[in-house]
Amino acid sequence: MKGKTYSLFGDEVSADKYYITIRSLIDALLRLCPDKEKLLMHVQRAGGSRPGRKNISSIDNGLISSIKAEAREKLSAYTTGVKGHLRSMSLGQRMDPVLRTKEPQYHLYMLEIELVNRMYRDEFKRCDYKFALLPHCLRDFRPDCASVPADVEEACMGCTDECFINLGGELMKKYDIHPYISVNMDLEGLFRKLRSEHPSIGALGVACVPELAQGMRLCIKLGIPPVGIPLNANRCARWMKEARESSFDIRELEELIK
Ligand code: SF4
């Protein structure tokens, strides 16, 4: 599973080692800083996010250095395509902040996703209404996708059993999560609308690493507890010249939502 910039497979035949690595990294960082919210603020700060005024005095530069060093050492194996991609970007691509994400930021986003999952998983599960957004690039490319417009985004019609959208969606339904295929570019507008319709709402995202981390931040800002699973690699047409099928780790999804 080769991606344009990253692959959770690294040199392996599955993402198993990645998930072991990211968990042990977060465990180690939580030993340095047991307060998850404080650690999240430092992970974001390590990537250049500005802390709120009330947090400025509690910035621990030693912790930020440790986060950056640990992340670079343990996660570089999964981001070997970033430098080449950044060198080969067209002028148009350089205008897209997601496409010009730098390698250290991928590592910090990976940490952020794992940490946010730990912080919000229980709250997400307690929500009365839980929805999930899956990207179109996860579909099986062989049949013409039979998805249809739904009350939210698009709904999978289950035309093939080998489609990751269908597989993931069926698993989500088992846990009372409403799965949709993401087509709307205005995520903030969509989240605000759903938030106004459902007072107790949680969001599950499946997306490439930078977009998932940013989507989780948006949810937290809007008071929606988020969880998420990163795509195994970034392979859609936005990254590649032509779209290639992608996947995510179904076992990790079930671990997260069961
Ligand atoms: S299973 Fe669903 S998402 Fe996959 S190709 Fe068919 S309709 Fe589209």
Side-chain angles (χ1 to χ4, degrees):
M1 178 61 57
K2 195 166 161 24
K4 182 68 180 178
T5 59
Y6 82 89
S7 169
L8 304 190
F9 282 29
D11 292 331
E12 308 280 322
V13 292
S14 77
D16 291 357
K17 192 170 167 198
Y18 167 79
Y19 281 104
I20 291 169
T21 302
I22 199 77
R23 284 196 186 105
S24 70
L25 249 175
I26 289 292
D27 287 344
L29 291 173
L30 282 170
R31 283 193 288 277
L32 291 177
C33 174
D35 179 337
K36 292 191 182 91
E37 266 189 45
K38 187 173 172 192
L39 180 58
L40 178 61
M41 193 253 291
H42 281 80
V43 169
Q44 292 175 342
R45 175 73 177 150
S49 296
R50 301 274 150 235
R53 195 174 292 174
K54 72 176 171 40
N55 290 323
I56 284 181
S57 59
S58 56
I59 291 292
D60 177 344
N61 288 319
L63 178 58
I64 289 178
S65 300
S66 301
I67 291 168
K68 286 180 172 174
E70 285 290 307
R72 184 174 56 243
E73 186 194 331
K74 304 280 180 4
L75 297 175
S76 293
Y78 304 101
T79 54
T80 53
V82 181
K83 288 190 183 77
H85 162 71
L86 291 176
R87 276 197 301 269
S88 68
M89 282 173 82
S90 67
L91 206 58
Q93 285 178 315
R94 285 174 210 277
M95 307 298 284
D96 184 332
V98 170
L99 293 185
R100 58 170 196 265
T101 303
K102 296 207 167 53
E103 190 172 8
Q105 186 64 67
Y106 278 88
H107 305 153
L108 297 168
Y109 281 152
M110 288 169 173
L111 292 176
E112 187 167 336
I113 291 164
E114 172 66 17
L115 186 54
V116 169
N117 278 342
R118 292 194 194 192
M119 289 169 71
Y120 287 93
R121 180 176 174 225
D122 291 343
E123 201 181 331
F124 166 82
K125 284 163 68 174
R126 283 195 301 270
C127 288
D128 293 337
Y129 177 79
K130 298 180 277 289
F131 74 100
L133 291 180
L134 298 119
H136 242 295
C137 61
L138 274 176
R139 75 186 186 280
D140 186 339
F141 279 24
R142 289 166 301 177
D144 280 338
C145 177
S147 62
V148 294
D151 54 333
V152 177
E153 305 290 80
E154 287 191 356
C156 166
M157 297 305 285
C159 67
T160 159
D161 291 339
E162 289 165 27
C163 173
F164 268 87
I165 292 181
N166 191 9
L167 290 169
E170 287 304 310
L171 184 61
M172 290 168 192
K173 285 180 201 165
K174 193 173 134 190
Y175 292 97
D176 197 26
I177 300 166
H178 303 261
Y180 297 100
I181 303 170
S182 179
V183 288
N184 192 339
M185 299 301 286
D186 177 15
L187 277 188
E188 180 157 357
L190 174 68
F191 291 170
R192 283 188 189 280
K193 177 178 167 290
L194 290 172
R195 182 91 182 79
S196 70
E197 292 169 357
H198 303 277
S200 168
I201 182 171
L204 163 61
V206 180
C208 67
V209 166
E211 296 208 318
L212 179 56
Q214 289 176 17
M216 289 173 134
R217 287 185 189 186
L218 178 60
C219 284
I220 293 169
K221 186 180 100 176
L222 299 175
I224 300 174
V227 291
I229 293 284
L231 292 173
N232 282 331
N234 53 344
R235 293 161 60 84
C236 76
R238 188 175 177 199
W239 293 95
M240 303 266 194
K241 281 201 177 98
E242 60 182 39
R244 313 244 174 102
E245 279 176 37
S246 194
S247 64
F248 64 96
D249 198 300
I250 295 269
R251 266 185 315 171
E252 285 295 325
L253 172 66
E254 186 150 27
E255 276 300 309
L256 185 63
I257 62 179
K258 74 182 183 189

